[in-house]
Amino acid sequence: MKIRMLKPVFVMVVILTAGIFSCQKINIVTTTTTATNLVGYMEKDPATYSEFLKIIERSGTSSYLNAYGAYTLFAPNNAAVKTYLQLIGKTSVEEIDPDQLKLLVKYHLLSDTIRTPQFTDGKLPVPTMHGEYLITGVKNTDGVSRYVVNRSAVVLTPDVRVGNGILHTTDHVLIPAQKTIAKLLEENTSYSIFTQALKATGYFKTLDTLVYLNDTTARWLTVLAQKDAVFQAAGIASYEALKARYSNLGDPMQPKDSLHLYVGYHILSGLKYVADLVSAPAHETLAPQEVVLTALRGDTLRINEETVAGVFEKGVDVNRNSSDLSATNGVLHDVSAEVYIKVRKPTPVYFDVADQPEIRKLTAKFRKVGNFVTFNLGDLADITWSAGTVTYNCYAPDPTKGAYYWNDWITPSSLRTRAGQNNWIQFKTPVVIKGKYKIWVSYRRDAGGINCQVYFNDVLMPRLINFNDYRYGASTITDEELQSQGWKRYSATAAFNNTVMGCKMVGTADVTTTGRHLIKFVPTGDVGGNTNIDMIHLIPEDMDQFKPRFASDGSLVY
């Protein structure tokens, strides 16, 4: 059975604004000021900010916001605060508990400088200091478009630059999530069948709590919910009809019952807003070893679009206007049609090792040419190593010498066998669908990382990789000849032919379970120097190993 190769969108930065912002003119006035800090600026305009300043003062955060730093503050104006007080049944800020106000301030504050050009149709790149993400978009009123936050607060005065950050004035107070995903669904009667199914399978309880894996790490969840109208369009008029169609054991509480698996398939591990869903081609669900596939089509996020046996399956659209709903334990999305478990075929994974969650949050550094950031042991959740540091690099491309994908790469402390030095480095991959894959390692040659053994889930691959090696005479032979020798051109520039960038196959891995896996490099030589790792490709063994190629501007060449 032939399956269409899905584009590896998770190695691309998807510009979500293209479809929604490009056709709308947004009036933005950038303000400059001599105020030294956020509080100082607001104090000069009590007619706009006096009520929010009361919140800041009563919450005990005034001195914090007076300090040096790099913040973004969404400051509601006086009318917004008064509306908020009416909403919660209070007549003044003084009637609200200071601890509650402190949380409110944190929800309006980000520990990074985010200007409106960085706003997208979706979540902001960094969370608030409350720990939740804000959602931005555009609202058009009487022919005038303005940015809107959390679908309610219009940005009236954007991008005020002060000494310790950026201030955006809004016409509503931003209110943190108050309900779990389960409660959001239960209180919306249009999800009655889906909610009944959650309760019958036990998943309602799972979605009604925030579980901590340890003292600081929460287990966030993401739900693809179906309204009653979606079920009815599929010929399912009630929960009883849903159970009759899917429950093969008659007991949906049983983990192996088909209805239990069906509902679990609608729940994804992790906190995944639309921007996160488009950043990877596959996402794990609570149905064991089952994933949903995602792809961006224009400005539409589509679930499970593929071609099977020559038949194109359009997939299911995510309703953007009713998705990205934050809850206390995750995020809720709404889908336009029924989502159900399908048999998956292996699909290529083009793993950009420099695209890590902690690095992506550093918006002033990530994929910004001319920057580097050094990380210590424990700083990166999905990269581990034995000693020293790991450096993220992003520099201007030189097509003849250094043509990294997206201009960035990872350099660990010198990979060598000497005691006390960095004796190994390990990466956790994105989700890989079970199957057999050829593994290719893409790099720029340098002095370090001599004759590294490569392990996939502790299984030793048959070939060593020498990060100081390259293929002589590469420009004179064909792709087929290169592959027969364990090499390929992966860069869309001349750098490979100039014996600078290399991509070498280390073996074929049998991926027995769908999920995330570990790739480890262990040097066998004791030579100091840099090791520059750009990408790792995992390509099904029966698929084209040569295309696409990867350009330094993030584009793909087929």
Side-chain angles (χ1 to χ4, degrees), residues 452-463:
C452 287
Q453 296 175 321
V454 183
Y455 292 84
F456 182 85
N457 292 343
D458 296 326
V459 176
L460 179 63
M461 295 290 99
R463 298 180 182 178

Side-chain angles (χ1 to χ4, degrees), residues 339-462:
V339 175
Y340 53 90
I341 296 174
K342 298 182 178 181
V343 176
R344 297 291 167 213
K345 297 295 183 181
T347 189
V349 173
Y350 301 99
F351 178 23
D352 179 3
V353 299
D355 188 356
Q356 299 293 328
E358 298 85 356
I359 303 174
R360 185 175 279 274
K361 288 179 181 179
L362 303 176
T363 55
K365 304 287 187 180
F366 179 65
R367 291 177 177 168
K368 299 294 192 301
V369 168
N371 289 285
F372 72 92
V373 185
T374 299
F375 297 91
N376 296 311
L377 286 169
D379 286 347
L380 301 172
D382 294 338
I383 306 179
T384 53
W385 60 96
S386 67
T389 60
V390 160
T391 301
Y392 169 82
N393 310 275
C394 184
Y395 287 97
D398 180 346
T400 63
K401 294 181 179 179
Y404 297 97
Y405 182 59
W406 281 113
N407 296 315
D408 60 2
W409 69 98
I410 289 293
T411 301
S413 290
S414 185
L415 276 173
R416 58 195 304 185
T417 57
R418 185 170 302 182
Q421 299 294 309
N422 190 21
N423 302 146
W424 56 268
I425 186 169
Q426 180 172 268
F427 299 88
K428 181 179 286 188
T429 71
V431 172
V432 184
I433 298 172
K434 59 185 177 182
K436 290 189 176 182
Y437 294 79
K438 290 182 179 180
I439 300 179
W440 300 82
V441 181
S442 307
Y443 62 95
R444 175 176 175 172
R445 69 182 184 89
D446 213 320
I450 300 299
N451 293 330
C452 287
Q453 296 175 321
V454 183
Y455 292 84
F456 182 85
N457 292 343
D458 296 326
V459 176
L460 179 63
M461 295 290 99

Side-chain angles (χ1 to χ4, degrees), residues 51-218:
E51 291 297 318
F52 190 57
L53 284 168
K54 291 178 185 178
I55 291 176
I56 291 173
E57 185 64 34
R58 182 164 171 77
S59 67
T61 56
S62 180
S63 59
Y64 182 83
L65 290 174
N66 269 318
Y68 173 79
Y71 305 107
T72 297
L73 178 66
F74 290 89
N77 61 17
N78 288 344
V81 175
K82 291 176 181 177
T83 299
Y84 172 70
L85 291 173
Q86 292 175 357
L87 180 67
I88 62 174
K90 305 292 184 182
T91 59
S92 70
V93 170
E94 288 71 23
E95 296 178 22
I96 306 176
D97 181 83
D99 288 339
Q100 183 180 345
L101 293 177
K102 184 179 293 186
L103 293 176
L104 193 67
V105 172
K106 286 183 177 181
Y107 191 65
H108 288 74
L109 188 66
L110 285 68
S111 57
D112 198 354
T113 51
I114 308 295
R115 298 178 66 251
T116 50
Q118 294 174 269
F119 287 11
T120 64
D121 178 25
K123 73 170 187 177
L124 291 180
V126 295
T128 69
M129 298 189 74
H130 185 275
E132 295 181 24
Y133 286 90
L134 300 178
I135 306 301
T136 56
V138 170
K139 183 178 182 179
N140 188 290
T141 305
D142 297 328
V144 177
S145 294
R146 294 181 182 272
Y147 289 103
V148 62
V149 185
N150 284 6
R151 296 188 175 87
S152 61
V154 173
V155 178
L156 301 174
T157 307
D159 299 326
V160 178
R161 179 67 170 158
V162 298
N164 63 343
I166 299 289
L167 182 142
H168 306 285
T169 308
T170 65
D171 69 347
H172 280 75
V173 171
L174 304 176
I175 303 175
Q178 305 290 317
K179 299 172 183 177
T180 63
I181 301 174
K183 288 295 191 294
L184 289 178
L185 289 166
E186 186 177 44
E187 294 178 8
N188 189 333
T189 57
S190 62
Y191 291 111
S192 65
I193 297 175
F194 190 76
T195 301
Q196 285 179 274
L198 287 171
K199 292 179 178 179
T201 55
Y203 281 118
F204 187 89
K205 184 177 180 180
T206 302
L207 297 174
D208 201 28
T209 56
L210 177 61
V211 176
Y212 282 86
L213 304 177
N214 52 48
D215 290 340
T216 59
T217 304

Side-chain angles (χ1 to χ4, degrees), residues 240-260:
E240 288 70 24
L242 178 68
K243 181 179 178 182
R245 178 175 294 188
Y246 284 111
S247 180
N248 64 328
L249 301 180
D251 183 1
M253 290 294 290
Q254 294 296 322
K256 292 184 179 181
D257 183 86
S258 297
L259 181 56
H260 191 97

Side-chain angles (χ1 to χ4, degrees), residues 1 20 40 68 83 165 167 205 231 238 265 301 321 416 448 501:
M1 183 166 56
I20 191 166
Y68 173 79
T83 299
L167 182 142
K205 184 177 180 180
F231 284 111
S238 65
Y265 189 65
L301 173 61
N321 291 334
R416 58 195 304 185
M501 307 299 292

